[in-house]
Amino acid sequence: MSEVEWRRKWKPDLKACPWQPITIGNQQFLFKCKYTHDSYELLITNNCHFWCEHLEGDELESRTISLNPNVKATPTRILDEIQNCLENPSKKTADIVKMNLNKLIIHVDSQLAGMAFVWEFKCQQADSEMISENFNIPLLAMVAELSRRNDELVKVIDAKDKEIDDYKSQGAKASRKHIETSTFVRTAFENNMIMSKEFEQEVKRLGLSGFSEDNQDLYRQIMTRYAYLTRPVAADETDEDSVNEQKTPSLNSWETSRLPASLTDKSPEKTSPGSSPRKSPAKGSSSTETSPAKDTEMMRRQALERKLEDEERKKNEPKKKKKKIAF
C-alpha cells in the first residue's frame, strides 16, 4: 500500500494532534486534544507535569447533565463547545480548581446558544509512555528536522552569494544601494542570534511560543509520517513486491511474446496439400550441419535479442539530467 492510499484510510490519533499554547488563570500551559463524535481525549502540561483525560459516551452525557441540567444538546454540539473553550479562550473564563502531581481540575464558564454553559476537565496524571509518544519523541524529531532545514538553507544562501559574486565580476550592480547584502557568514550569523534580544525573550518563554502555526503543521507532518513508518504491515502488503515481480515479464518470456515465430524455433511446420511430409536427413549427413540461410537467421535473432536487452536496461536506468552550458 502506498503512503497516499494509507493516508486516505488512516484515522489520526492523539499523537498526531499538535500542541497548542493556552493560558489558564495566570499560568501558561500546552495542550492537545482529539475529538470524535461522542468523545474527547485531552493531554495538558505546564512543562513540568502532564495530565490527561479521556471522556466518552455515557460518562460525557452524565457530566453534561450534572453541570448543565438546563442544557439540551447533542454530544456533538457539546464537544464543539468544549473545543471552542480550549482553542478560543479569549471570551471564556477558565480557572484552576485543583492542581497537583496526580490531578488537575479546570473549571470553564462559557455560553451555548445564549445559555450559560459550564464545564470541568478532571485530568489525571499521564504515564511515562504517553509522555514519551506525545512529547519527547516528536519534539526531538522536530529539532532534528529544523536543524536539517537550517543546513539546507545555509547551502542555498552560499550558492546565492556565489551567484551574486559572479554577476558583480561581470560589472552588474544593484539598482538600489539599500537592497545590497553582505556575504553570509554562518558563524557570525549564529553569534548575532545568540546576542540578540529575541534570543533572551525566547529563553524566558521556555519554548511556549515554539508551537506557531508553521511548527504545528511540522509536528503534524512528522507524526503522520512516523505513524506510517511504524504501521503494522499486513501479510498481503509484504507479498506485494513479490507479486509484482511475478507479473513483470522476464527476458525469456519476451523471447516467445515479442520475437517472431520464425526466430523461436517453435513454429510448426507447414505442409501444402498433396505434398509429402518432410523426410529426415540421410544417415550419412550430420545433424549439426548448418546452412548459410540458418546462420543468417541465427545472427538476426541474436541481434534482436541484444536490442531488446538494451531497451530493457535503458528503461531501468535513471535518466541523467543534461548539463546546462553557460555562454
Side-chain angles (χ1 to χ4, degrees):
M1 179 187 300
S2 65
E3 185 174 354
V4 175
E5 295 174 344
W6 176 84
R7 282 174 178 259
R8 292 172 182 171
K9 298 179 180 180
W10 179 61
K11 295 181 180 180
D13 54 7
L14 181 65
K15 290 182 287 187
C17 298
W19 291 92
Q20 302 179 58
I22 187 174
T23 302
I24 303 176
N26 295 323
Q27 299 191 46
Q28 298 291 329
F29 292 85
L30 288 172
F31 82 94
K32 55 162 46 187
C33 196
K34 172 65 180 175
Y35 306 92
T36 66
H37 69 283
D38 66 344
S39 70
Y40 72 82
E41 187 175 8
L42 172 68
L43 180 61
I44 187 169
T45 179
N46 60 354
N47 287 342
C48 182
H49 305 296
F50 290 79
W51 301 272
C52 64
E53 181 183 31
H54 186 196
L55 202 64
E56 63 180 346
D58 295 338
E59 296 179 349
L60 178 68
E61 183 180 358
S62 176
R63 186 177 300 182
T64 302
I65 294 174
S66 63
L67 295 175
N68 305 276
N70 297 325
V71 174
K72 302 295 182 182
T74 62
T76 303
R77 185 67 184 88
I78 296 296
L79 289 167
D80 287 343
E81 183 59 30
I82 292 173
Q83 182 177 2
N84 190 34
C85 291
L86 289 172
E87 297 181 2
N88 302 290
S90 57
K91 297 182 180 181
K92 322 295 177 183
T93 303
D95 294 310
I96 299 174
V97 177
K98 184 177 181 179
M99 184 175 70
N100 56 40
L101 177 62
N102 299 318
K103 185 172 290 187
L104 173 66
I105 300 177
I106 302 172
H107 181 88
V108 180
D109 290 322
S110 179
Q111 286 191 346
L112 178 62
M115 299 182 62
F117 178 79
V118 178
W119 193 258
E120 284 187 354
F121 298 96
K122 300 179 180 180
C123 305
Q124 304 295 324
Q125 182 183 12
D127 58 43
S128 58
E129 183 179 357
M130 189 176 191
I131 296 171
S132 177
E133 291 179 343
N134 289 273
F135 196 79
N136 298 341
I137 293 176
L139 290 189
L140 289 174
M142 288 181 65
V143 170
E145 173 59 16
L146 290 174
S147 177
R148 185 189 69 84
R149 294 185 181 187
N150 183 69
D151 292 339
E152 292 298 321
L153 286 174
V154 170
K155 293 178 182 178
V156 172
I157 295 174
D158 288 339
K160 291 292 183 182
D161 282 343
K162 292 179 181 179
E163 183 180 357
I164 293 173
D165 289 341
D166 182 63
Y167 293 151
K168 288 182 177 179
S169 67
Q170 300 178 31
K173 293 183 179 180
S175 59
R176 289 165 290 179
K177 192 170 184 179
H178 71 275
I179 66 174
E180 290 185 357
T181 57
S182 58
T183 302
F184 178 79
V185 181
R186 182 170 185 170
T187 304
F189 171 78
E190 292 175 349
N191 290 335
N192 290 336
M193 291 296 100
I194 293 175
M195 299 303 296
S196 64
K197 292 182 179 180
E198 290 79 6
F199 177 74
E200 182 178 345
Q201 293 173 357
E202 288 299 328
V203 172
K204 289 180 180 179
R205 294 172 184 171
L206 293 176
L208 290 176
S209 60
F211 282 98
S212 60
E213 290 186 5
D214 291 339
N215 286 343
Q216 286 180 14
D217 183 66
L218 175 61
Y219 179 98
R220 188 182 296 107
Q221 294 298 332
I222 286 176
M223 295 311 294
T224 302
R225 179 62 62 85
Y226 180 76
Y228 172 73
L229 296 175
T230 58
R231 74 196 187 282
V233 182
D236 55 347
E237 189 173 351
T238 56
D239 296 337
E240 184 176 353
D241 293 338
S242 60
V243 171
N244 290 335
E245 290 180 359
Q246 294 176 1
K247 291 181 179 180
T248 303
S250 62
L251 189 60
N252 294 332
S253 65
W254 280 38
E255 180 182 346
T256 57
S257 61
R258 296 185 58 178
L259 293 178
S262 61
L263 303 183
T264 60
D265 290 341
K266 296 179 181 179
S267 57
E269 297 181 355
K270 296 182 179 180
T271 58
S272 58
S275 62
S276 60
R278 185 177 179 180
K279 296 182 180 180
S280 59
K283 293 181 180 180
S285 63
S286 172
S287 61
T288 58
E289 185 179 357
T290 58
S291 63
K294 191 170 184 180
D295 289 339
T296 305
E297 193 77 5
M298 183 62 68
M299 292 173 64
R300 287 177 53 198
R301 173 181 175 180
Q302 293 175 351
L304 184 56
E305 287 179 351
R306 285 195 298 269
K307 182 179 179 180
L308 295 176
E309 289 176 358
D310 291 339
E311 291 179 357
E312 184 68 10
R313 185 173 62 255
K314 289 179 181 179
K315 288 182 180 179
N316 295 329
E317 287 180 354
K319 295 183 179 179
K320 296 182 179 179
K321 295 183 179 179
K322 295 183 179 179
K323 295 183 179 179
K324 295 183 179 179
I325 302 175
F327 293 96

